[in-house]
Amino acid sequence: MNVANSIENLKNAFAGESQANRRYLAFARKAEQDGFPQVAKLFRAAAEAETVHALNHLRIMKEIKTTVENLDAAISGETFEFKKMYPEYLSIARQERKNDAAWSFDMANKVEQVHAGLFTKALEALRSKRELPKTDYYVCSVCGYTPEGGPPEKCPICGSPKAAFFKAP
Ligand code: FE2
Ligand code: FE2
Ligand code: FE2
């Protein structure tokens, strides 16, 4: 086993642990709906543990840098997604007539563009030695749209009502 292998393995393990975290949280919600609150609790506990593993891998890969560098990485990731990845996925889903997949890619595509804008604003603030002005962020539970200040009457991306929004912690 050489160093190159372990770096590749950390990357793959980070992806797997991150996915396990979200998968277990989804399974916990389902267990809750199915009337198994203790199973839900187990899924949530395991989900937290997978986050510990994911963060260990990420830290050891030295992917957590200064906040300016992290914002730069976030902007690159979001931009890749809305400029290249999701447009391609969306066009393939449309060709294949996979309407549900097309919807999901389209929602994410539009929201990543918003994220890139928000992160860019944050980066500009930090570069002029300022912190962002104080505000609350809201999240649309249907499409992930992330407005600042307050929730709109109607989500501009998916059309959901105000009640679909929650305040980000
Ligand atoms: Fe794990
Ligand atoms: Fe995003
Ligand atoms: Fe929405």
Side-chain angles (χ1 to χ4, degrees):
M1 234 358 121
N2 61 34
V3 175
N5 283 333
S6 283
I7 287 170
E8 196 56 31
N9 293 344
L10 281 165
K11 209 174 136 179
N12 290 336
F14 172 67
E17 297 285 358
S18 303
Q19 289 175 28
N21 165 264
R22 300 332 284 189
R23 191 171 284 120
Y24 290 171
L25 291 179
F27 291 173
R29 279 190 197 185
K30 173 67 172 143
E32 208 72 68
Q33 288 163 6
D34 287 352
F36 304 118
Q38 190 58 43
V39 176
K41 215 168 173 173
L42 170 60
F43 272 129
R44 286 194 297 267
E48 291 296 335
E50 309 315 358
T51 295
V52 171
H53 299 158
L55 293 181
N56 284 343
H57 300 336
L58 192 66
R59 188 185 68 252
I60 289 161
M61 287 190 286
K62 298 191 170 29
E63 277 204 30
I64 308 164
K65 298 175 183 160
T66 66
T67 295
V68 165
E69 290 170 305
N70 293 341
L71 282 167
D72 221 38
I75 294 164
S76 298
E78 301 283 356
T79 303
F80 165 75
E81 287 176 355
F82 84 80
K83 280 207 171 144
K84 186 164 166 55
M85 188 185 87
Y86 281 130
E88 287 176 10
Y89 289 0
L90 181 57
S91 112
I92 292 166
R94 282 180 178 148
Q95 281 166 30
E96 293 179 338
R97 306 263 186 276
K98 300 269 193 239
N99 292 340
D100 46 1
W103 175 84
S104 199
F105 295 145
D106 186 39
M107 294 298 103
N109 185 35
K110 287 172 174 151
V111 174
E112 309 319 2
Q113 198 160 350
V114 174
H115 291 166
L118 289 167
F119 286 140
T120 300
K121 239 168 56 173
L123 183 61
E124 283 164 2
L126 262 60
R127 284 211 167 121
S128 355
K129 308 284 173 220
R130 285 180 286 113
E131 161 67 308
L132 279 173
K134 212 172 166 208
T135 187
D136 284 319
Y137 298 97
Y138 290 78
V139 180
C140 174
S141 59
V142 176
C143 73
Y145 173 56
T146 319
E148 49 183 334
E153 284 307 317
K154 193 179 158 192
C155 178
I157 290 180
C158 75
S160 292
K162 198 177 194 166
F165 283 82
F166 62 91
K167 192 160 112 177

